[in-house]
Amino acid sequence: MAGYSLPILGNWLANELGLYSILSSSRDTRLLCLQRFIRLFAYGASTLILALYLSSLHVSDARIGLFMSMTLWGDVVISFILTLFADGLGRRRTLMLGAALMAASGVVFAFSSNYWILVAASIFGVISPSGNEIGPFKAIEESTLSQLSAADRRSDIFAWYTLLGNFGSACGIIICGWLVEWLQTINGWTSVRAYRIVFGIYAFLGIVKLALSLLLSNQCEPAPKKQEYQQVTELDDVEIESLLSSDDEDESSEPRPKQRQKPIPPFPSRKQKDSLLPSISPGSRTILLTLCMLFAIDSLGGGLVPASWITYFFTTKFSLPEGTLGTLFFTTSIIAALSNLVASSISKRIGLVKTMVFTHLPSAIFLALIPLPDNVSVAMTFLVLRSCTQNMDQAPRQAFLAAAVLPGERTAVMGVVNVVRTLSQSAGPVVTGWLAGTGKFWMAFL
């Protein structure tokens, strides 16, 4: 009996964790997940040392906070423009442009010490103060994944997409932390010189991401209008049911026939410029407005303590070296990554919305407890406990958005939602910088 039960258990576990979904996904889906891993690796590496790098350049805490806020404001503008026109210009072309900006900002940070030049590079390029998604990538990739994935597998695909991003961030954090500490202690490098090596790696990874974008097929581009409207009539019932019920979908969309690779379409002419702006239906606008208000409130508090400020807090209060910081945030990122698979399984039973709500509250409580203890071990324990549910709402939220709007609206809607979230976060770092400069850093966590 045991011999039969093990395969059954294995099949059940693989289905619960979404392994079958990701392994049977298309080549484009796996390429997009790989791009997210590489991008978040770069974000994690730079986030660990961003505030420390600026501090080593003798930038005050208040100006560090201003720097982070201006970075987020720049991201709002760039992301809004690129995601709004992404479907019209071509998703692959937009991803390549974003990757080029990412590489360029890494080069500037690796060679410049001027505060305002770094500000300009962070605004017009892609630098993440929080270690989370920034720039136009996320909305475009999520819209593309929704298009490439069957409705009944979409939650699993988003769970693995989020997990691989968190795992990439974890790897970037620990490798960066120990690399910087090794360069300083073994080779005797200054902190500024060691930090610049990390930004050089950041620029290289931006080039790698650009190369991966070139490998995407034309299946990633939005479907023609006539075909899109046909798909809407087929998917409406399925997507509506996914919002109202936690039961598994019985229907799944047929895989698209394999087509020969086509070149990226040329830039549209002036006669086609009106088609660049996506149209959003009245029903989707109502959903979008409601979600934007909810996500704005949620992001407002989280913007006070992005990962860069948390690393800075542990360094200034407990004098943790970069290697120990890297290990700490590697642990929290791995836990947060694995929690996405748990969230996917929970959402199949209680629904997407309940999963988002019930997993968010514990994270907020543990975040508020981090600055209270004077013992570093207790503070680290609260940070680890926070990571257990910190990202569990991400995959359900992405699946909810994909199901709530029409296929042709997903890129624009997801882009607007990400812009609203970033805009809500942008005021936080300035406030935290002022609190840190006046000895009230702990208040930002509450």
Side-chain angles (χ1 to χ4, degrees):
M1 293 294 292
Y4 287 105
S5 61
L6 285 177
I8 295 175
L9 178 61
N11 288 333
W12 176 83
L13 188 61
N15 184 62
E16 285 296 313
L17 298 180
L19 283 173
Y20 292 140
S21 298
I22 191 66
L23 292 176
S24 62
S25 63
S26 67
R27 174 176 173 270
D28 289 325
T29 296
R30 293 193 291 269
L31 279 174
L32 289 171
C33 290
L34 178 60
Q35 285 193 49
R36 179 174 167 86
F37 172 86
I38 292 173
R39 184 171 69 254
L40 268 293
F41 183 102
Y43 288 172
S46 62
T47 297
L48 184 70
I49 52 98
L50 179 60
L52 300 176
Y53 176 58
L54 294 173
S55 180
S56 67
L57 295 177
H58 308 293
V59 178
S60 67
D61 291 346
R63 295 185 81 190
I64 292 175
L66 178 63
F67 176 95
M68 293 183 185
S69 288
M70 286 192 291
T71 297
L72 295 173
W73 294 332
D75 172 65
V76 165
V77 177
I78 298 298
S79 296
F80 182 74
I81 294 174
L82 290 181
T83 54
L84 190 63
F85 292 95
D87 284 355
L89 293 174
R91 292 173 181 172
R92 290 174 291 171
R93 182 182 287 114
T94 308
L95 289 175
M96 287 182 230
L97 176 59
L101 292 174
M102 176 180 170
S105 60
V107 170
V108 173
F109 270 74
F111 289 98
S112 178
S113 300
N114 183 278
Y115 177 79
W116 292 110
I117 291 178
L118 295 178
V119 167
S122 66
I123 290 176
F124 296 102
V126 182
I127 292 289
S128 175
S130 64
N132 296 322
E133 283 288 6
I134 195 170
F137 306 112
K138 187 170 182 284
I140 298 172
E141 289 176 353
E142 288 176 355
S143 177
T144 305
L145 288 173
S146 300
Q147 177 177 306
L148 296 172
S149 305
D152 59 340
R153 297 188 176 186
R154 199 172 286 149
S155 180
D156 291 338
I157 295 296
F158 278 131
W160 279 96
Y161 173 78
T162 306
L163 181 148
L164 289 171
N166 291 338
F167 183 65
S169 179
C171 293
I173 287 172
I174 193 168
I175 291 175
C176 163
W178 286 107
L179 174 63
V180 168
E181 187 167 335
W182 178 76
L183 290 174
Q184 290 177 322
T185 58
I186 305 300
N187 291 359
W189 287 23
T190 63
S191 58
V192 172
R193 188 181 178 190
Y195 296 152
R196 284 178 173 170
I197 293 295
V198 175
F199 287 112
I201 296 173
Y202 187 94
F204 172 75
L205 292 174
I207 296 173
V208 172
K209 188 188 179 309
L210 191 153
L212 290 174
S213 298
L214 289 169
L215 298 178
L216 295 171
S217 74
N218 65 301
Q219 296 295 315
C220 296
E221 301 297 346
K225 290 293 183 181
K226 291 183 179 179
Q227 178 183 351
E228 180 181 294
Y229 291 136
Q230 291 172 358
Q231 289 176 346
V232 170
T233 60
E234 295 171 1
L235 292 176
D236 264 354
D237 292 340
V238 177
E239 291 182 343
I240 291 172
E241 287 175 9
S242 70
L243 295 179
L244 300 178
S245 172
S246 61
D247 296 334
D248 290 336
E249 311 276 2
D250 294 328
E251 300 179 42
S252 62
S253 59
E254 295 294 329
R256 295 188 178 185
K258 189 174 183 180
Q259 298 182 5
R260 187 175 60 184
Q261 172 76 26
K262 295 182 181 179
I264 298 174
F267 281 105
S269 63
R270 290 185 178 181
K271 293 181 180 180
Q272 297 171 303
K273 65 180 181 179
D274 290 339
S275 64
L276 293 180
L277 287 170
S279 59
I280 300 178
S281 63
S284 295
R285 284 199 293 267
T286 302
I287 294 173
L288 177 61
L289 181 62
T290 303
L291 292 178
C292 283
M293 289 190 294
L294 292 174
F295 292 157
I297 296 172
D298 174 53
S299 301
L300 189 61
L304 291 169
V305 279
S308 294
W309 273 129
I310 296 178
T311 60
Y312 190 71
F313 169 80
F314 275 92
T315 300
T316 54
K317 182 172 182 177
F318 301 111
S319 302
L320 291 183
E322 286 85 352
T324 305
L325 276 176
T327 303
L328 171 62
F329 281 87
F330 171 81
T331 303
T332 58
S333 296
I334 289 295
I335 294 173
L338 295 176
S339 69
N340 286 287
L341 297 180
V342 179
S344 177
S345 180
I346 293 174
S347 66
K348 294 174 184 177
R349 288 165 172 77
I350 67 173
L352 300 172
V353 176
K354 290 181 180 178
T355 303
M356 287 189 285
V357 174
F358 293 154
T359 59
H360 185 72
L361 184 59
S363 173
I365 293 174
F366 288 124
L367 176 65
L369 294 175
I370 289 174
L372 300 183
D374 292 325
N375 184 287
V376 64
S377 298
V378 178
M380 291 168 67
T381 300
F382 286 142
L383 183 64
V384 171
L385 290 173
R386 181 212 179 199
S387 68
C388 294
T389 59
Q390 177 185 359
N391 291 334
M392 287 185 73
D393 64 332
Q394 289 189 11
R397 182 175 67 236
Q398 292 157 350
F400 180 89
L401 275 174
V405 300
L406 303 179
E409 303 168 346
R410 284 171 182 152
T411 302
V413 168
M414 290 178 174
V416 170
V417 169
N418 289 337
V419 163
V420 170
R421 288 173 59 84
T422 304
L423 189 61
S424 298
Q425 294 171 358
S426 62
V430 172
V431 176
T432 304
W434 177 80
L435 291 173
T438 57
K440 301 176 182 177
F441 203 161
W442 60 273
M443 293 183 64
F445 291 81
L446 302 179

